[in-house]
């Protein structure tokens, strides 16, 4: 999954743990967030990624095929001024990670006064349109989505984001 955000403001003051709690919709405070980069990288929008470990929330996750483990969501600057990209390792992600992905995009677009492209920057939509399109999964209960993800993950293998290597090493 990948989405671009064209931003007008680059001032971000977030804490990655609080952001994880918000985007995944987790209602407890004591959970592990694995991250690449610290708050400085997150707030600089330069090179940051984070994930949660689903087995911390539901032991049934241990029955999921191993390839799904710890799928990070990345935030990275691009070569284009005032455009950042949010991307993940798989397309599509499991439902619990889709929720976090779309909520993260919405959070960043709101905080940074941005518009959103889900089609490689061919067209741009407002945050309101993005929220309307993805409202159902963005507002769904985390535990319900995790249970659904466990069932999907038991029987399917992930499909790599087609541009993952390009996104990881040469951000457009």
């Amino acid at each position: 999954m990948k989405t671009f955000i064209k931003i007008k403001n680059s001032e971000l003051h977030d804490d990655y743990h609080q952001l994880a709690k918000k985007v995944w919709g987790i209602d407890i405070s004591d959970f592990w967030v694995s991250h690449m980069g610290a708050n400085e990288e997150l707030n600089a929008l330069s090179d940051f990624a984070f994930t949660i470990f689903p087995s911390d929330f539901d032991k049934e996750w241990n029955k999921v095929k191993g390839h799904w483990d710890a799928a990070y969501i990345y935030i990275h600057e691009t070569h284009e001024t005032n455009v950042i990209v949010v991307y993940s390792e798989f397309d599509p992600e499991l439902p619990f990670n889709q929720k976090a992905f779309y909520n993260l995009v919405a959070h960043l677009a709101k905080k940074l006064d941005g518009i959103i492209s889900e089609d490689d920057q061919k067209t741009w939509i407002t945050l309101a349109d993005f929220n309307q399109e993805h409202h159902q999964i963005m507002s769904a209960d985390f535990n319900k989505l995790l249970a659904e993800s466990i069932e999907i993950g038991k029987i399917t293998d992930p499909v790599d984001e087609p541009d993952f290597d390009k996104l990881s090493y040469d951000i457009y």
Side-chain angles (χ1 to χ4, degrees):
M1 295 176 65
K2 75 175 175 273
T3 299
F4 293 88
I5 308 169
K6 190 181 295 184
I7 60 175
K8 293 180 185 172
N9 167 13
S10 60
E11 292 289 320
L12 190 64
H13 304 285
D14 280 331
D15 171 85
Y16 72 82
H17 195 273
Q18 289 303 312
L19 185 58
K21 185 175 179 175
K22 177 180 181 175
V23 300
W24 271 281
I26 298 169
D27 59 4
I28 60 171
S29 295
D30 189 23
F31 63 95
W32 177 255
V33 178
S34 179
H35 55 97
M36 292 185 268
N39 287 333
E40 293 78 22
E41 287 79 15
L42 166 63
N43 291 315
L45 304 168
S46 61
D47 191 9
F48 180 80
F50 65 161
T51 190
I52 59 171
F53 295 115
S55 59
D56 290 349
F57 302 93
D58 189 331
K59 297 302 177 201
E60 285 293 306
W61 179 262
N62 295 323
K63 297 177 183 175
V64 168
K65 293 183 175 195
H67 300 298
W68 285 111
D69 280 348
Y72 284 83
I73 299 174
Y74 300 80
I75 302 169
H76 206 292
E77 61 198 348
T78 68
H79 295 301
E80 195 171 328
T81 304
N82 296 328
V83 175
I84 61 172
V85 63
V86 176
Y87 63 100
S88 65
E89 297 180 32
F90 308 121
D91 189 16
E93 285 288 341
L94 290 172
F96 84 96
N97 242 13
Q98 288 179 32
K99 173 187 176 97
F101 182 91
Y102 292 130
N103 280 326
L104 177 60
V105 169
H107 173 81
L108 293 171
K110 181 178 181 178
K111 288 269 190 147
L112 303 172
D113 193 17
I115 56 175
I116 301 162
S117 175
E118 295 182 277
D119 62 2
D120 286 322
Q121 304 183 69
K122 293 179 186 111
T123 61
W124 296 90
I125 61 173
T126 66
L127 174 57
D129 289 339
F130 180 84
N131 285 339
Q132 184 175 355
E133 181 176 340
H134 300 292
H135 173 76
Q136 186 173 354
I137 196 151
M138 291 169 68
S139 61
D141 178 72
F142 169 77
N143 291 312
K144 179 178 177 269
L145 291 177
L146 182 56
E148 184 180 326
S149 297
I150 290 168
E151 294 309 310
I152 294 168
K154 286 178 184 177
I155 59 173
T156 62
D157 289 316
V159 175
D160 291 339
E161 161 58 52
D163 292 331
F164 183 75
D165 289 338
K166 184 178 181 181
L167 289 163
S168 296
Y169 302 105
D170 185 29
I171 307 293
Y172 287 77

